[in-house]
Amino acid sequence: MNARKLVLVFALLGLALCTTTTAATGTPGVTAKSITIGGTFPFSGPASLYAGIGAGAAAYYQYVNDHGGVNGRKIDYIALDDGYNPAQTVQLTHRLVEQERVFAVVGSLGTEPNLATRPYLNEQKVPQILVATGASVWGTEYKRYPWTIGWQPNYIAEGYIYGRFIVDKVPQAKIGILFQNDAYGHDYIDGLKSGLGVQQRKIVAQEGYEVTASDVASQVAKLKASGANTFFVAATPTFAVQAVALAYKLGWHPTIFMNSVAATNTLMGLAAKSSSPDAVDGMISVRYWMDPSEPKFAKAGSIDLYKSVLAKYAPKANPNDAFNAYGMAQAWTFVYALKQAGKNPTRAGLMKALLHMDTKDNPFLLPGMRLFTTPSDHFPLNQAVLIRYRDGSFRPFGHLLTYPRAKR
């Protein structure tokens, strides 16, 4: 069964159960034997290269179920395709809450899609948790939206790291920025500027694109014409791959800084294949979860666990796709919090557990990575390591960095 079919199986199972999910406990989505959760992912559309996140999570939940579930309950997971379209996300999220009666919305992908559903989910007091986006607002606006929490390191902090690195190591930089023209892209720019500090003049050009665009050819051409010798890409996978390949084909060979959500060996391998290996050689990014194609990014035994889970529950999935590992890391975090929520979980109890995390046990994160939250600190992850692309793969250099927390 491939990853797409696996997701559909979970969706159909959720539909069959939706009429009984509150019968045993009074808590939506919870029965004596099951907990129903859901999320939205771009299994199609401009961000479909992220599809592995939903598929990886689905595989891990099935693995957990086959090993006894959580506190005696199986996890029924409904993953729906929103095509990275916020309007579709809103419709599907209403379906998850009002028809499927999910206990929580877990891991949904995308900054704009999650922003579109955040008011509704918080009004309904439905946990919107471990969202697959590093927008800083998931941590900074928790007082206004107490039922929402992120997971990955935030984009402002990541951009700050690149800015500091450029100041320290690339003194002659003239920076051209390609960014997705929404909150996702603007967070990265804000972070980069913060890291550059008084040297923001190094930014010589900025070009945005809309998620509905077919390509970013004109933007890349304008950035090359600006005289930039440093290229900062804040884009989703399809456009990130395009940008790198286009730059090389235009004869532009800048130092490239790639946002982490597009910096995987698989994606940059695609960029190299469509242009040249030289197009990606020397590219710099950061990483916080393991890349299954690079064993150096893994804790002892983690690659074997990942591969065995994927082989059994999503056998047609690409084991080298790092987004499958991302999905497992995210799902592991939910399972961890659900265990801490106790034998009779409530939505409020789940949020309390998520705000009292302190563990380094997640097998799919980098060695040393700590999941940590408090009632006043809603940023679960704030560490990463710098990586550089050489000879066909990203490799770490330097030590594990701790990001500055986004300002509240």
Side-chain angles (χ1 to χ4, degrees):
M1 184 179 292
N2 63 27
R4 177 76 66 84
K5 288 182 179 177
L6 177 62
V7 170
L8 292 176
V9 166
F10 279 116
L12 291 172
L13 180 60
L15 283 170
L17 292 170
C18 68
T19 60
T20 61
T21 52
T22 64
T25 67
T27 298
V30 179
T31 74
K33 295 183 178 181
S34 68
I35 291 181
T36 301
I37 62 173
T40 55
F41 299 90
F43 295 114
S44 63
S48 59
L49 288 174
Y50 285 137
I53 293 176
Y60 188 75
Y61 290 134
Q62 194 167 8
Y63 163 80
V64 169
N65 288 344
D66 282 354
H67 287 76
V70 180
N71 295 328
R73 292 182 177 89
K74 301 295 180 70
I75 297 172
D76 295 323
Y77 180 51
I78 306 171
L80 303 177
D81 181 6
D82 66 359
Y84 204 62
N85 180 337
Q88 185 71 2
T89 311
V90 170
Q91 293 181 17
L92 293 176
T93 300
H94 276 262
R95 170 183 159 185
L96 288 172
V97 173
E98 297 163 15
Q99 298 179 36
E100 268 60 307
R101 302 284 289 169
V102 295
F103 175 60
V105 174
V106 184
S108 292
L109 187 139
T111 299
E112 294 300 319
N114 277 290
L115 286 174
T117 57
R118 184 173 59 161
Y120 166 73
L121 290 171
N122 275 263
E123 180 182 337
Q124 298 297 316
K125 297 183 178 180
V126 176
Q128 180 190 28
I129 60 173
L130 308 176
V131 293
T133 151
S136 60
V137 295
W138 316 131
T140 58
E141 297 183 357
Y142 70 88
K143 291 182 180 178
R144 183 177 179 186
Y145 299 103
W147 294 92
T148 300
I149 188 170
W151 180 71
Q152 68 192 58
N154 75 84
Y155 300 141
I156 290 179
E158 183 183 337
Y160 175 90
I161 294 296
Y162 300 136
R164 293 313 307 161
F165 184 88
I166 289 170
V167 168
D168 294 340
K169 303 295 183 182
V170 196
Q172 303 305 314
K174 292 186 288 184
I175 306 167
I177 302 172
L178 176 71
F179 66 98
Q180 186 163 295
N181 189 23
D182 57 17
Y184 161 67
H186 288 287
D187 257 6
Y188 271 115
I189 294 175
D190 289 346
L192 180 69
K193 289 180 176 179
S194 177
L196 292 171
V198 297
Q199 297 190 34
Q200 291 181 27
R201 63 185 182 279
K202 291 182 180 295
I203 299 174
V204 298
Q206 298 178 193
E207 290 291 330
Y209 71 88
E210 304 301 323
V211 297
T212 54
S214 59
D215 61 59
V216 291
S218 64
Q219 289 89 339
V220 174
K222 289 177 183 178
L223 291 170
K224 175 182 183 291
S226 73
N229 60 18
T230 302
F231 188 17
F232 177 51
V233 181
T236 50
T238 297
F239 296 110
V241 170
Q242 280 185 13
V244 173
L246 285 166
Y248 186 84
K249 291 176 181 178
L250 289 171
W252 184 31
H253 308 297
T255 300
I256 300 176
F257 290 83
M258 178 64 65
N259 56 182
S260 63
V261 295
T264 71
N265 290 338
T266 300
L267 292 175
M268 291 308 105
L270 291 174
K273 186 175 181 179
S274 63
S275 54
S276 165
D278 292 338
V280 294
D281 194 53
M283 177 185 291
I284 293 171
S285 188
V286 299
R287 178 62 50 76
Y288 50 93
W289 82 98
M290 75 174 197
D291 188 329
S293 66
E294 179 49 73
K296 292 179 182 179
F297 284 112
K299 299 175 182 177
S302 294
I303 292 288
D304 290 341
L305 173 62
Y306 163 81
K307 288 185 176 179
S308 67
V309 171
L310 204 66
K312 184 171 183 179
Y313 301 108
K316 293 187 178 180
N318 177 6
N320 288 325
D321 183 351
F323 292 127
N324 290 314
Y326 178 111
M328 289 194 195
Q330 187 188 60
W332 185 97
T333 307
F334 172 72
V335 170
Y336 173 83
L338 187 59
K339 288 178 180 177
Q340 306 308 308
K343 293 183 178 181
N344 296 300
T346 63
R347 287 169 167 173
L350 176 64
M351 295 306 301
K352 182 178 180 180
L354 286 164
L355 295 175
H356 291 82
M357 291 191 294
D358 188 2
T359 179
K360 293 183 179 181
D361 292 341
N362 191 321
F364 308 112
L365 297 178
L366 297 187
M369 287 285 295
R370 180 188 185 192
L371 277 163
F372 177 79
T373 55
T374 73
S376 61
D377 189 338
H378 290 226
F379 293 97
L381 293 174
N382 76 319
Q383 295 169 296
V385 66
L386 283 162
I387 55 177
R388 182 183 282 117
Y389 198 90
R390 293 289 190 201
D391 301 323
S393 68
F394 281 106
R395 300 176 183 177
F397 66 97
H399 59 278
L400 192 66
L401 300 168
T402 298
Y403 289 3
R405 298 290 188 175
K407 294 179 180 179
R408 291 171 178 76

